[in-house]
Amino acid sequence: MQNTATPTHCPYCALQCGMNLTPAPDGTVEVSERTDFPVNRGALCGKGRTAGAVLARNVRLTSPLVRDESGALVPASWDEALDRIAGELRRTRAEYGPDGVGVFGGGGLTNEKAYTLGKFARVVLGTSQIDYNGRFCMSSAAAAGIKAFGLDRGLPFPLEDIPKTGCVILVGSNLAETMPPSLRFLTELKENGGTLVVIDPRRTKTAEQADLHLAPRPGTDLALALGLLHLVIAEGRVDEEYVQERTVGWEDARAAAMAHWPEYVERITGVSVPQLRETVRLFCEPESAMVLTARGPEQQSKGTDTVGAWINLCLATGRAGRPLSGYGCLTGQGNGQGGREHGQKADQLPGYRKLDDPAARAHVAEVWGVDPDSLPGPGRSAYELLDALGTDIRSLLLMASNPVVSAPRAAHVEERIRSLDFLAVCDVVLSETAELADVVLPVTQWAEETGTMTSLEGRVLLRRQAVTPPDGVRSDLEVLHELAARLGVEKGFPTGPEEVFEELRRASAGGVADYSGITYRRLVEEDGVFWPCPAVESSHPGDTREQAHPGTPRLFLDRFATPDGRARFVPVSHRATAEEPDDEYPVLLTTGRVVSQYQSGAQTRRVAELSAAAPGPFVELHPRLAARLGAAEGDPVAVVSRRGRAVAPARITSAIRPDTVFMPFHWPGEGRANSLTNPALDPTSRMPEFKTCAVRLEAVRP
């Protein structure tokens, strides 16, 4: 590559911040500000600034590894590694059928790789058993959005609209640590005279910026939203004209909300009635307002209903489908949005088409050149797939995920992975999951390849190659091409990302997530295009050149994506979490992230600066809880649930509720927070209940 700066995007979260990369002599890159990208305007968090460190050869994988007869992972040639994977997948299919093979993907894969992985699973392997770790990200918000609006896109408006609205209710999100460059949108909101309400059981750095902070008991966000809607109705703040003209189903939703009167909600949530009333006032008095949710309300066994209740609040007050108003979900993973739009998810085909829709199957099958009847039906969701490893699913191909650390009930998931007949992992580093594999393939990463990502705004972006990958490293597209050929499918799996994207455009055409009007050329010239963006042909006779559809930065301004164009109220009622505290497990655990680590930490834990800032796990607990336990700051504390035990130093603070403890989930080993978490699933989204479970604390004596 030339020694010049390449404009591209960060490899981490769904903000996809713009940055410039200049090749460094050691094979890494120098990261510098890129002020022209509107999302971050040059600002980068510590993870973005140090992203080049993971490119270092002493950090990342540079040779295939295979497990030898002694049980050790040893270097091997690419042909040996690929032949072994293909042979094991072929053997498993012959012995157990196509569904004996599973595929597990990741929310960090580019659109091209996610699309190809889904195609590989269904066309080459013929398996229905494919899902991805994005199921753990925003599947509940997606399910609720589809029910209400007919379409799921993280934000139906660009981030630049947030400072211009009158009020933002931020539910279960700590942007100051999870997406630091985005915090400026909330700062500008307040500078412009708007107000910020933050809902979180912890007084986080984000909550400290709020005009009003509500600290509900974990798992009670559904009751809280219903209590606010009750007050909206009781105080005569419903936008009756909007409800009549643009929605259906109001009466049933109204009746459900009226069963959640303020004093009842106060008893459930711990949020006082005056705070509930003040929240309603702040939300309803301005001309415009927004509700933004993140993992807090979504990672629950009732996450779809919880998000639905917040959407109902927006609909009843006319705060959806209008300028500077709406409901949005703050997607976490870098390509959590695009990853599910194009076929990694168990029940979806490219373009956000449903796998059980005959018309969708026919369209995609035509693009793929296969018989629609040859495509398998929907498979298991992510946790259910992991839980079936070693029983129904005997071999697994895993890309860009580390479920040994990131999955709920992680010790059980690790046990299931160990029970497999065969595991192949494609990754850039030797993660905790890769360490258990029979074959590990070293693949290119963000700065070494070109491909598209879809941000939390629904903005499709082009991440550009800035450096040449080391010898011995290949792209995921090359891996799938080689495996397909070895398994008898010689065509249909190109290795060039732009060629794959051109096919993705055709496969998505006419779907909910229509990318057919987006090209690499446009992405370079416009620095991102919002979907849906259908291809538009000229009306001039004989002229079939595609004209540029402008893309859709703001959804629902004229109509919602439902058959009649109206949004749907979905009646919901509060219910308890899957696991409430009792005498044996009297405390609630909630989990989350810290600013200097990302997801399972497989990459960020290898960056010296980040590891120095956040060297390990901790247990955050209130002083009263610490006093009862007899624990001082820094003392080791054991957190025990019905699924496992984790030990980490105490971090004592009055910024958390006395009935709750918090642990970050970035680390393996004895401090692995997900050893404790509950895999109870939302019945619609199949999202596990990461955000709340019952635990007890034990002092750890020398």
Side-chain angles (χ1 to χ4, degrees), residues 246-301:
R246 298 205 60 189
T247 72
V248 297
W250 167 234
E251 289 306 317
D252 289 342
R254 180 185 186 280
M258 291 310 291
H260 297 76
W261 60 95
E263 292 77 13
Y264 172 58
V265 169
E266 181 181 66
R267 289 199 301 273
I268 294 171
T269 65
V271 177
S272 70
V273 173
Q275 284 183 313
L276 295 173
R277 294 188 184 279
E278 178 66 1
T279 302
V280 168
R281 184 187 71 80
L282 292 174
F283 186 66
C284 292
E285 286 190 352
E287 291 185 6
S288 59
M290 298 174 179
V291 171
L292 304 177
T293 67
R295 305 301 79 76
E298 297 162 21
Q299 287 182 328
Q300 299 184 27
S301 60

Side-chain angles (χ1 to χ4, degrees), residues 96-413:
Y96 298 100
D99 281 356
V101 179
V103 176
F104 199 85
L109 294 176
T110 63
N111 289 317
E112 293 80 1
K113 293 191 285 189
Y115 170 84
T116 303
L117 185 61
K119 181 180 179 181
F120 178 85
R122 295 177 175 109
V123 172
V124 178
L125 299 176
T127 183
S128 66
Q129 301 304 301
I130 174 172
D131 210 86
Y132 82 128
N133 62 16
R135 174 80 67 170
F136 301 155
C137 179
M138 59 171 289
S139 57
S140 292
I146 291 169
K147 283 185 177 184
F149 307 133
L151 183 151
D152 152 44
R153 196 180 84 185
L155 293 181
F157 42 75
L159 285 161
E160 66 188 36
D161 284 1
I162 291 175
K164 304 169 187 174
T165 194
C167 175
V168 169
I169 298 180
L170 185 64
V171 190
S173 174
N174 183 12
L175 288 177
E177 298 208 54
T178 59
M179 297 179 174
S182 69
L183 192 64
R184 69 173 178 82
F185 293 107
L186 301 180
T187 302
E188 291 173 8
L189 165 77
K190 296 182 66 176
E191 290 173 350
N192 292 340
T195 55
L196 173 64
V197 179
V198 172
I199 298 172
D200 197 304
R202 305 164 61 221
R203 187 166 180 80
T204 63
K205 292 180 180 179
T206 307
E208 291 173 355
Q209 309 301 313
D211 297 281
L212 178 62
H213 171 220
L214 310 182
R217 184 174 178 266
T220 63
D221 310 89
L222 175 53
L224 179 60
L226 287 163
L228 296 176
L229 182 53
H230 178 109
L231 286 171
V232 165
I233 298 165
E235 295 177 4
R237 297 181 184 271
V238 175
D239 188 332
E240 301 286 358
E241 182 180 355
Y242 173 92
V243 168
Q244 183 175 359
E245 291 181 356
R246 298 205 60 189
T247 72
V248 297
W250 167 234
E251 289 306 317
D252 289 342
R254 180 185 186 280
M258 291 310 291
H260 297 76
W261 60 95
E263 292 77 13
Y264 172 58
V265 169
E266 181 181 66
R267 289 199 301 273
I268 294 171
T269 65
V271 177
S272 70
V273 173
Q275 284 183 313
L276 295 173
R277 294 188 184 279
E278 178 66 1
T279 302
V280 168
R281 184 187 71 80
L282 292 174
F283 186 66
C284 292
E285 286 190 352
E287 291 185 6
S288 59
M290 298 174 179
V291 171
L292 304 177
T293 67
R295 305 301 79 76
E298 297 162 21
Q299 287 182 328
Q300 299 184 27
S301 60
K302 52 188 173 182
T304 302
D305 284 357
T306 301
V307 173
W310 289 103
I311 291 175
N312 286 349
L313 178 67
C314 291
L315 293 175
T317 53
R319 306 310 178 104
R322 284 179 167 172
L324 306 182
S325 289
Y327 162 78
C329 166
L330 297 164
T331 307
Q333 292 191 77
N335 201 30
Q337 182 73 48
R340 69 180 175 281
E341 291 170 3
H342 299 300
Q344 276 192 106
K345 199 159 166 275
D347 58 350
Q348 287 177 195
L349 288 169
Y352 225 132
R353 289 180 160 89
K354 299 297 289 183
L355 188 54
D356 56 5
D357 176 0
R361 293 170 67 87
H363 173 86
V364 174
E366 182 178 5
V367 174
W368 287 351
V370 299
D371 184 340
D373 292 337
S374 70
L375 299 177
R380 292 176 171 91
S381 70
Y383 179 77
E384 292 166 303
L385 189 157
L386 295 171
D387 190 41
L389 298 181
T391 54
D392 294 344
I393 300 171
R394 311 295 300 193
S395 293
L396 182 69
L397 174 62
L398 184 145
M399 287 186 166
S401 186
N402 189 18
V404 164
V405 178
S406 63
R409 197 184 173 194
H412 172 73
V413 169

Side-chain angles (χ1 to χ4, degrees), residues 45 128 218 309 458 488 572 631:
C45 71
S128 66
V572 295

